[in-house]
Amino acid sequence: GGAKSTVRSFLEPIHDVVYGLEAYIAIISTTYNLAEDLVADLYGVFTDPEAYPELHQIWGPFTVTGTKTDFVVNCPTGEEIGTRIKAFSQGSTIRGQKHRGIRITKAILDDYEHQIRVRSPIQREKTDEFLTKDVEKAGPTGRGMLIWLVGTVLHADSTLARRLKSAAWSSTKWRAIISWPSNMGMWAAARELWADLSDPDRVATAEAFYLANKAVMDAGAEVLWPESESLWDLMQQWWENAAAFNSEKQNEPVDPTRQVYDPDTFRRCKFDGVHITTSTGRKVRVRDCKLALWLDPRASREIERNDYAAIALVARDPVGYVYVLACDMK
């Protein structure tokens, strides 16, 4: 999370310019101000030799024309037409944009989604449609366009979450804690010390416990960037606010305190009226199960007559697995 913009929205465009790899780079964010700041940083790189002396000495001199948010940069090692870099916001006009007759050759979508706009299904669809109908169609005919979509997963059905599951995209999900410690019991004991409000030095007490048992408590754990955030630092963040940690650090926008089931663990089953066939092929007789029928008594607001908003028929087999045999939700 700390390096994604540095690499994709800062270092990579500089690399593209000095090697002449791209003719037109579009940097897109959820608001124009965010995109403007990213492009303005690049403008400063190519116009301030004192701030970046080695870059200018090796690859310069650079010639820059335009504004801080829409400029063309030329250098001796690049192409003659130079590279245009322009800021865009979500929803702005991007199709048909050209530089010297060439359409956008690379689009970098950095923090493309807004925390508030992912809450509504309609807003999520608008965000996704701008990517599919506008950005993806803005590239040169035939050549195509390289698109980088970088950010934090803000919702399980967000544009970024959808692309992580899409076979058409190459993707990587980064997590601050790649694998959790094997001995979570020791960490639970440390958390008890950390959360003991009767101890004014509770954080120091908990850290001392951790340092005394570090080898055992670190076993099995792997963190993404230990030089920036150690396992101890990350575990404290998780204790403090699990929902925020899952979203910001693990790219899992789920609040475990509000979630009854984890949809990622769901599996398909089949029901023929007599037998339930599990995803592994095991057959269960429905007469051997406990059945429950749930009725949500709230009246539907969308129709005048008094109707149930949800009806679900669920079965639990003797082993303990639960099957949703029928469900009608409005």
Side-chain angles (χ1 to χ4, degrees), residues 4-34:
K4 65 181 186 296
S5 295
T6 302
V7 174
R8 295 300 179 205
S9 304
F10 186 73
L11 294 177
E12 193 168 287
I14 296 172
H15 178 268
D16 292 335
V17 168
V18 299
Y19 282 98
L21 300 179
E22 302 293 345
Y24 193 166
I25 301 174
I27 296 183
I28 308 166
S29 293
T30 183
T31 65
Y32 186 72
N33 288 341
L34 288 174

Side-chain angles (χ1 to χ4, degrees), residues 310-321:
I311 303 175
L313 175 61
V314 180
R316 183 196 299 273
D317 70 12
V319 178
Y321 285 103

